[in-house]
Amino acid sequence: MFWYEEDVKRLERERIQLDYQPKTAFYGSSTFTLWKSIYQDFDTFFPVNLGFGGSTLAACAWYFERVFSQYENLESIIVYAGDNDLSNNRHPEEIYLFFFQLFDKIKVKYGAIDCTYVSIKPSPQRWYLNDQVKYTNMIIEREIKKREEANLHFVNIYDYYIGKDQKPNHQYFEQDGLHFNKAGHNVLKDELVKHLSNINSISFKY
């Protein structure tokens, strides 16, 4: 995991740049790291962006204690990761295990905090992994529903990025066919704002 070290050090400095107490953490891979407007898009939820590099769910679980050491009063954690695990030849079952390992660590530190897993997106560059993407999403969603824990959530974004030809819609992706462009992030923003509003019937206090 040493190749993430510089990114993790950057995240350890992120807290001192904020002039408010963060309430909502976005944790995961470049889907969050490259989201330039994330602080503006979620300002009413007091966000902190803790995405790093091309992180995997395995790395998210590994570095959790370090990355979150300065955040004691969070109310919600949004997780996006898993597609990099698949591209590194991890099996869906391994990704499933890494997510619930991360969730267990979140529970130890924060108790009954809201924790949301965002489904893996279908990207043009990794379309060859589509069957594994769908299976990974399915087994994680199934387990979340099975557990019936009020603070554990699944947000399925997969279908929003599929075109009429049943393939990834290029209008939502950068030219690399992997990362979201502004339109792609706007779709995700709308879904997550709606989700965060639903799980927080009482607005965050300033």
Side-chain angles (χ1 to χ4, degrees):
M1 296 290 180
F2 66 90
W3 50 88
Y4 297 115
E5 187 64 24
E6 290 305 312
D7 269 326
V8 171
K9 288 179 179 178
R10 172 182 59 81
L11 294 182
E12 289 175 325
R13 298 190 296 268
E14 190 77 12
R15 177 67 184 91
I16 63 175
Q17 300 179 34
L18 301 177
D19 60 3
Y20 56 83
Q21 182 69 44
K23 297 296 183 183
T24 305
F26 293 81
Y27 190 45
S29 62
S30 55
T31 292
F32 290 159
T33 312
L34 301 177
W35 195 337
K36 297 179 180 179
S37 62
I38 199 168
Y39 284 98
Q40 293 74 36
D41 291 342
F42 296 93
D43 59 344
T44 58
F45 300 101
F46 300 88
V48 60
N49 188 350
L50 299 177
F52 61 103
S55 62
T56 60
L57 260 175
C60 288
W62 180 270
Y63 283 110
F64 173 78
E65 287 87 356
R66 275 184 63 183
V67 172
F68 284 80
S69 63
Q70 302 179 68
Y71 302 94
E72 299 301 328
N73 298 301
L74 291 174
E75 297 180 6
S76 185
I77 298 176
I78 311 291
V79 177
Y80 181 90
D83 36 11
N84 290 326
D85 301 74
L86 289 175
S87 70
N88 289 339
N89 297 315
R90 296 280 191 181
H91 294 289
E93 288 84 358
E94 292 180 274
I95 302 168
Y96 166 99
L97 292 173
F98 289 138
F99 172 68
F100 288 102
Q101 179 185 10
L102 172 60
F103 179 59
D104 287 342
K105 291 186 175 186
I106 291 171
K107 286 198 296 184
V108 168
K109 182 172 178 63
Y110 294 107
I113 189 176
D114 281 302
C115 180
T116 301
Y117 182 76
V118 180
S119 70
I120 302 172
K121 66 183 184 293
S123 63
Q125 188 190 67
R126 292 177 176 167
W127 189 237
Y128 67 97
L129 292 170
N130 186 55
D131 288 343
Q132 295 176 64
V133 167
K134 292 175 70 174
Y135 184 66
T136 304
N137 289 338
M138 185 272 289
I139 60 176
I140 292 178
E141 180 179 22
R142 183 178 62 190
E143 179 64 20
I144 286 174
K145 290 180 177 178
K146 179 181 177 182
R147 293 192 179 200
E148 296 183 334
E149 297 188 54
N151 63 312
L152 180 58
H153 315 279
F154 183 88
V155 171
N156 191 351
I157 64 169
Y158 179 94
D159 289 341
Y160 293 107
Y161 299 100
I162 294 292
K164 293 181 179 180
D165 61 355
Q166 298 304 307
K167 293 181 179 180
N169 191 330
H170 287 261
Q171 72 172 341
Y172 296 120
F173 295 87
E174 297 286 358
Q175 289 186 349
D176 63 8
L178 180 60
H179 299 104
F180 283 147
N181 57 21
K182 184 172 178 54
H185 274 128
N186 282 342
V187 171
L188 181 53
K189 177 195 72 174
D190 290 344
E191 288 305 301
L192 291 182
V193 166
K194 180 170 61 177
H195 170 67
L196 286 168
S197 298
N198 287 339
I199 64 175
N200 291 282
S201 57
I202 300 176
S203 298
F204 290 125
K205 296 180 179 179
Y206 288 82

